[in-house]
Amino acid sequence: MSRPEQHQASPAERYAAQRRKRAYPVTELFQSQLSYDFDPFQREACERLEEGDSVLVAAPTGAGKTVVAEFAVFLTMRDPNAKIFYTAPIKALSNQKFNEFVRRYGPSEVGLLTGDTNINSQARIVVMTTEVLRNMLYANSPLLDDLAYVVMDEVHYLADRFRGAVWEEVIIHLPSEVRLVSLSATVSNAEEFGDWLQAVRGDTQVIVSEHRPIPLDYHVRAGSRLVDLFETRGDTYTDRVNPELVNLVRQRGRGQSGGPRSRGGRRGGRNWEARVRSNDERYNRAELVDQLDRANMLPAIFFIFSRAGCDAAVQQLKRSGICLTTREERDEIRWIVESRCRSLLDEDLGVLGYFQWLEALELGIASHHAGLLPAFKEVVEELFQNKLVKLVFATETLALGINMPARTVVLEKLDKFNGEGRVPITPGEFTQLTGRAGRRGIDVEGHAVVLWRDGMNPQQLAALASRRSYPLNSSFRPTYNMAVNLVDRFGRERTRDVLESSFAQFQADRAVVDIARKVQQQRESLAGYEAAMECHRGDFFSYSRVRRELSDLERKKIREDMPNAHAERERRQQRLQELRHEMRMHPCHSCPEREDHARWGERYWRLKHDTDRLVRQIESRTGAVAQVFDRLTDALIERGYLAQLTTSDDLALTSHGHSLKRIYGERDLLIAECIRKQAWLKLDAAGLAAMAAALVFEPRRDEDNPPERFLPRGGFREALEHTERLWEELDELEERHGVPRTVPLATGLVPAMHRWARGGRLDDVLDEAGLQAGDFVRWSKQVLDLLDQIEKVTTGGLKRTAREAYDAVRHGIVAYASVAE
């Protein structure tokens, strides 16, 4: 598809450009060091930063938002006393930005803080995860001195229901003089989010771009054909579905499969493995890869929403005999892999599938998902960026911001398993995934290919591809740790004000305005209905109330299994008789226009029911976040973490509250209670590591805790019983106070972590855990983080045990990790 020629600037435009150069000299200096011209949104954002404003930049994936962050770094480095923090949602992205800045500014100027990694924290450019910055703000860390800018990459991550609240905490608590550079995918309510930033941070400019610098072409693969999704007119795509695709789908008929069935691979092994293969081999991937190769559409990322599916796809292509690399490329791949993985223990290589993995890499093929060892994932990313690996089968985690752009993205399915069932991917997810297609400075266009499957609708697919954005909704909620930190810093009343400045309350308040407007309109309608049912015989409003109660009671059913069902049925019959008598005796009952009035009465009561529901919504939303905080503080007072000051109505932290301040996680109060009640004093290092695993592990929805006989014996079981009793006490406390409940302990990882901490073999540990290496490393890192917290908030024997447990867990593949994980 040909593209329009580049626009030639008019004399007026050239004059305006010269004026901008004089007005924004630093922006112009930065631009002169780039190999390409600014896009309009990039220039506008940089100019606003040079003027001293904060910015929110919302633009499509691959549009070049990070240039704005790099300009903030450039501004920082021009001031010899200034510092900048670059925050990212995941450690892999933090690692990538760290390496980029080191290459540009040198190792002495760049630091990295990711919880378990601390490199040059005093540097002027520090890359960190958002949680690290949140903890620094609560601790009033001296590292915050001279902080000029904070970059919040992927800020739309604040919608994440597990970790999103951290973004809001950082935005609210950053010192007012710090300028914020917020980078977001295109969201449909960017202006609303920008209004909130303006309210809590001051001068903030919202800059939205819908433009993709690399155009994206959508295709559908039906059978063995690649067909454009949208119709073209001349050289331009329209927003109409391609008639050729509609006709092709109609011809294929309902009963045919989405593509030619491959001859299939070997079957065997466990049932799930056979299911994966039968599902994934319904079309011949090798044929599609060859088709993409011949069309010059590689490198490509195939998104498959299953780790097993990604690995099975790699094996399928290996069996097909496909090879996408030259001899020279294969030699370079082997050299890079061996140099990056030389620290892995020889006895672990077979367990990790190293040799099969390397064999696929040499063919130019790889998978990428959270189950891979972090070192393996990083090698795949490096090889893909260096154009050595041409094909990656990935889960959606790859779309989170890691710089791995491809020429083509292939979506094998448009639904995924969410833990309970298969659900369609959202327009936002579709945008994020297909946004990986098209490499700036390399490609003139990107390609998104969707595999046709039975039941798909061309119009629905076109609608999915046409919607570029999705709403950003807050996931903020107060926690115990947040409550004690804020009370210690601001006091109770000021904390309520702070929480009411959250984006969650901002959105609730805006919703309240709309709901209140609707309530007012409906109340006006109610007055009209009431007037319309007036009756010359008497008060028809009271008559309609009787009829309404009678109708509701007649519909009500008494369950046979409920207590006192017979007595309840008797009361119902008696009330029915009373209402029928009252209705017959009412003067309006004999009115000849009774049923006309009654129709208005029914409309009145239906609208009244809906209006009352809206009023309850308003009451629940107004001050909702502060109300949760109040209930949390009441629970903390009862448990002895907060105390009422005798000289005022304010609160103060007890010694236990000061410990809770430094415990972060889903079970923060339970951990604090166990430390306070000395539940873990008799544990050895391996036992404490296993206990930490029970506190951080999140099993899949269908996984149960293992039977007690599989858990470590002796002191561990006694400590576990004590911990579970404390959880039961907290559960009762939380139910009484109406606060979010603490999740019960999950012991699924306990046996494997106990064995690992005692020096167990990797293959035995992974087999016992039922986890892939990458998952085990990820959970182990969370165990290490909790053990580090325990060491910092305790003294004496438990402190020593926590340090010993930390050292016992941090060995082998857990110890071998680059700065990414």
Side-chain angles (χ1 to χ4, degrees), residues 241-260:
V241 177
N242 185 358
E244 182 184 1
L245 174 63
V246 176
N247 291 333
L248 182 61
V249 171
R250 190 178 296 123
Q251 291 168 11
R252 289 173 60 80
R254 284 180 174 270
Q256 298 184 21
S257 65

mmCIF file of all heavy atoms in Angstrom, residues 241-260:
data_model
loop_
_atom_site.group_PDB
_atom_site.id
_atom_site.type_symbol
_atom_site.label_atom_id
_atom_site.label_comp_id
_atom_site.label_asym_id
_atom_site.label_seq_id
_atom_site.Cartn_x
_atom_site.Cartn_y
_atom_site.Cartn_z
ATOM 1 N N VAL A 241 -15.811 -2.692 6.085
ATOM 2 C CA VAL A 241 -15.285 -4.051 5.983
ATOM 3 C C VAL A 241 -15.088 -4.409 4.515
ATOM 4 O O VAL A 241 -15.919 -4.077 3.654
ATOM 5 C CB VAL A 241 -16.251 -5.051 6.648
ATOM 6 C CG1 VAL A 241 -15.754 -6.482 6.474
ATOM 7 C CG2 VAL A 241 -16.401 -4.727 8.132
ATOM 8 N N ASN A 242 -13.991 -5.068 4.246
ATOM 9 C CA ASN A 242 -13.653 -5.474 2.886
ATOM 10 C C ASN A 242 -14.720 -6.441 2.344
ATOM 11 O O ASN A 242 -14.922 -7.523 2.910
ATOM 12 C CB ASN A 242 -12.282 -6.153 2.905
ATOM 13 C CG ASN A 242 -11.784 -6.500 1.526
ATOM 14 O OD1 ASN A 242 -12.450 -6.275 0.526
ATOM 15 N ND2 ASN A 242 -10.579 -7.059 1.477
ATOM 16 N N PRO A 243 -15.426 -6.094 1.247
ATOM 17 C CA PRO A 243 -16.445 -7.009 0.703
ATOM 18 C C PRO A 243 -15.866 -8.369 0.318
ATOM 19 O O PRO A 243 -16.560 -9.386 0.423
ATOM 20 C CB PRO A 243 -16.964 -6.262 -0.531
ATOM 21 C CG PRO A 243 -16.607 -4.823 -0.304
ATOM 22 C CD PRO A 243 -15.345 -4.836 0.491
ATOM 23 N N GLU A 244 -14.602 -8.394 -0.098
ATOM 24 C CA GLU A 244 -13.976 -9.669 -0.453
ATOM 25 C C GLU A 244 -13.945 -10.607 0.750
ATOM 26 O O GLU A 244 -14.183 -11.812 0.621
ATOM 27 C CB GLU A 244 -12.556 -9.423 -0.972
ATOM 28 C CG GLU A 244 -11.839 -10.695 -1.412
ATOM 29 C CD GLU A 244 -10.400 -10.437 -1.827
ATOM 30 O OE1 GLU A 244 -9.949 -9.278 -1.749
ATOM 31 O OE2 GLU A 244 -9.721 -11.410 -2.203
ATOM 32 N N LEU A 245 -13.668 -10.051 1.947
ATOM 33 C CA LEU A 245 -13.649 -10.870 3.146
ATOM 34 C C LEU A 245 -15.046 -11.390 3.467
ATOM 35 O O LEU A 245 -15.229 -12.562 3.807
ATOM 36 C CB LEU A 245 -13.099 -10.054 4.325
ATOM 37 C CG LEU A 245 -13.146 -10.731 5.692
ATOM 38 C CD1 LEU A 245 -12.284 -11.989 5.707
ATOM 39 C CD2 LEU A 245 -12.690 -9.766 6.787
ATOM 40 N N VAL A 246 -16.042 -10.527 3.353
ATOM 41 C CA VAL A 246 -17.422 -10.929 3.633
ATOM 42 C C VAL A 246 -17.840 -12.064 2.702
ATOM 43 O O VAL A 246 -18.424 -13.068 3.131
ATOM 44 C CB VAL A 246 -18.376 -9.729 3.496
ATOM 45 C CG1 VAL A 246 -19.826 -10.172 3.694
ATOM 46 C CG2 VAL A 246 -18.015 -8.642 4.507
ATOM 47 N N ASN A 247 -17.516 -11.928 1.420
ATOM 48 C CA ASN A 247 -17.880 -12.968 0.452
ATOM 49 C C ASN A 247 -17.134 -14.265 0.725
ATOM 50 O O ASN A 247 -17.707 -15.360 0.632
ATOM 51 C CB ASN A 247 -17.579 -12.488 -0.971
ATOM 52 C CG ASN A 247 -18.499 -11.362 -1.398
ATOM 53 O OD1 ASN A 247 -19.626 -11.243 -0.905
ATOM 54 N ND2 ASN A 247 -18.033 -10.520 -2.311
ATOM 55 N N LEU A 248 -15.862 -14.146 1.077
ATOM 56 C CA LEU A 248 -15.057 -15.336 1.341
ATOM 57 C C LEU A 248 -15.618 -16.100 2.542
ATOM 58 O O LEU A 248 -15.732 -17.326 2.526
ATOM 59 C CB LEU A 248 -13.604 -14.937 1.590
ATOM 60 C CG LEU A 248 -12.608 -16.075 1.842
ATOM 61 C CD1 LEU A 248 -12.533 -16.996 0.644
ATOM 62 C CD2 LEU A 248 -11.230 -15.502 2.170
ATOM 63 N N VAL A 249 -15.988 -15.355 3.583
ATOM 64 C CA VAL A 249 -16.554 -15.991 4.776
ATOM 65 C C VAL A 249 -17.872 -16.666 4.435
ATOM 66 O O VAL A 249 -18.160 -17.793 4.868
ATOM 67 C CB VAL A 249 -16.748 -14.955 5.895
ATOM 68 C CG1 VAL A 249 -17.537 -15.537 7.050
ATOM 69 C CG2 VAL A 249 -15.394 -14.453 6.389
ATOM 70 N N ARG A 250 -18.695 -15.993 3.624
ATOM 71 C CA ARG A 250 -19.983 -16.566 3.242
ATOM 72 C C ARG A 250 -19.791 -17.854 2.444
ATOM 73 O O ARG A 250 -20.502 -18.840 2.635
ATOM 74 C CB ARG A 250 -20.763 -15.538 2.420
ATOM 75 C CG ARG A 250 -22.213 -15.939 2.173
ATOM 76 C CD ARG A 250 -22.954 -14.855 1.405
ATOM 77 N NE ARG A 250 -23.047 -13.613 2.174
ATOM 78 C CZ ARG A 250 -22.593 -12.449 1.748
ATOM 79 N NH1 ARG A 250 -22.022 -12.345 0.571
ATOM 80 N NH2 ARG A 250 -22.726 -11.381 2.496
ATOM 81 N N GLN A 251 -18.799 -17.869 1.549
ATOM 82 C CA GLN A 251 -18.540 -19.055 0.724
ATOM 83 C C GLN A 251 -18.041 -20.230 1.556
ATOM 84 O O GLN A 251 -18.363 -21.384 1.280
ATOM 85 C CB GLN A 251 -17.508 -18.731 -0.366
ATOM 86 C CG GLN A 251 -18.018 -17.787 -1.437
ATOM 87 C CD GLN A 251 -16.900 -17.260 -2.318
ATOM 88 O OE1 GLN A 251 -15.766 -17.754 -2.258
ATOM 89 N NE2 GLN A 251 -17.201 -16.255 -3.129
ATOM 90 N N ARG A 252 -17.238 -19.936 2.570
ATOM 91 C CA ARG A 252 -16.674 -21.019 3.376
ATOM 92 C C ARG A 252 -17.743 -21.747 4.177
ATOM 93 O O ARG A 252 -17.581 -22.909 4.541
ATOM 94 C CB ARG A 252 -15.607 -20.465 4.332
ATOM 95 C CG ARG A 252 -14.341 -20.042 3.614
ATOM 96 C CD ARG A 252 -13.391 -19.338 4.569
ATOM 97 N NE ARG A 252 -13.015 -20.220 5.668
ATOM 98 C CZ ARG A 252 -12.095 -21.175 5.588
ATOM 99 N NH1 ARG A 252 -11.481 -21.382 4.441
ATOM 100 N NH2 ARG A 252 -11.799 -21.921 6.628
ATOM 101 N N GLY A 253 -18.841 -21.060 4.460
ATOM 102 C CA GLY A 253 -19.953 -21.722 5.133
ATOM 103 C C GLY A 253 -19.712 -21.894 6.611
ATOM 104 O O GLY A 253 -18.623 -21.688 7.133
ATOM 105 N N ARG A 254 -20.747 -22.301 7.291
ATOM 106 C CA ARG A 254 -20.698 -22.409 8.744
ATOM 107 C C ARG A 254 -19.866 -23.576 9.225
ATOM 108 O O ARG A 254 -19.214 -23.517 10.239
ATOM 109 C CB ARG A 254 -22.111 -22.556 9.296
ATOM 110 C CG ARG A 254 -22.884 -21.258 9.314
ATOM 111 C CD ARG A 254 -24.265 -21.511 9.868
ATOM 112 N NE ARG A 254 -24.981 -20.267 10.021
ATOM 113 C CZ ARG A 254 -24.958 -19.529 11.097
ATOM 114 N NH1 ARG A 254 -24.245 -19.915 12.115
ATOM 115 N NH2 ARG A 254 -25.638 -18.412 11.178
ATOM 116 N N GLY A 255 -19.892 -24.698 8.538
ATOM 117 C CA GLY A 255 -19.349 -25.921 9.125
ATOM 118 C C GLY A 255 -17.879 -26.134 8.940
ATOM 119 O O GLY A 255 -17.324 -27.100 9.447
ATOM 120 N N GLN A 256 -17.180 -25.226 8.208
ATOM 121 C CA GLN A 256 -15.781 -25.487 7.914
ATOM 122 C C GLN A 256 -14.874 -24.868 8.960
ATOM 123 O O GLN A 256 -15.237 -23.928 9.634
ATOM 124 C CB GLN A 256 -15.430 -24.920 6.523
ATOM 125 C CG GLN A 256 -16.232 -25.588 5.419
ATOM 126 C CD GLN A 256 -15.802 -25.092 4.047
ATOM 127 O OE1 GLN A 256 -14.703 -24.574 3.910
ATOM 128 N NE2 GLN A 256 -16.649 -25.266 3.063
ATOM 129 N N SER A 257 -13.692 -25.405 9.062
ATOM 130 C CA SER A 257 -12.731 -24.914 10.052
ATOM 131 C C SER A 257 -12.097 -23.636 9.563
ATOM 132 O O SER A 257 -12.209 -23.267 8.410
ATOM 133 C CB SER A 257 -11.640 -25.965 10.310
ATOM 134 O OG SER A 257 -10.889 -26.167 9.138
ATOM 135 N N GLY A 258 -11.384 -22.973 10.464
ATOM 136 C CA GLY A 258 -10.762 -21.692 10.139
ATOM 137 C C GLY A 258 -9.549 -21.826 9.269
ATOM 138 O O GLY A 258 -8.957 -20.832 8.876
ATOM 139 N N GLY A 259 -9.118 -22.984 8.881
ATOM 140 C CA GLY A 259 -7.939 -23.125 8.042
ATOM 141 C C GLY A 259 -7.674 -24.576 7.798
ATOM 142 O O GLY A 259 -8.287 -25.458 8.404
ATOM 143 N N PRO A 260 -6.784 -24.920 6.859
ATOM 144 C CA PRO A 260 -6.503 -26.320 6.571
ATOM 145 C C PRO A 260 -5.945 -27.016 7.794
ATOM 146 O O PRO A 260 -5.132 -26.471 8.523
ATOM 147 C CB PRO A 260 -5.463 -26.242 5.451
ATOM 148 C CG PRO A 260 -4.878 -24.873 5.558
ATOM 149 C CD PRO A 260 -5.953 -23.994 6.081
#
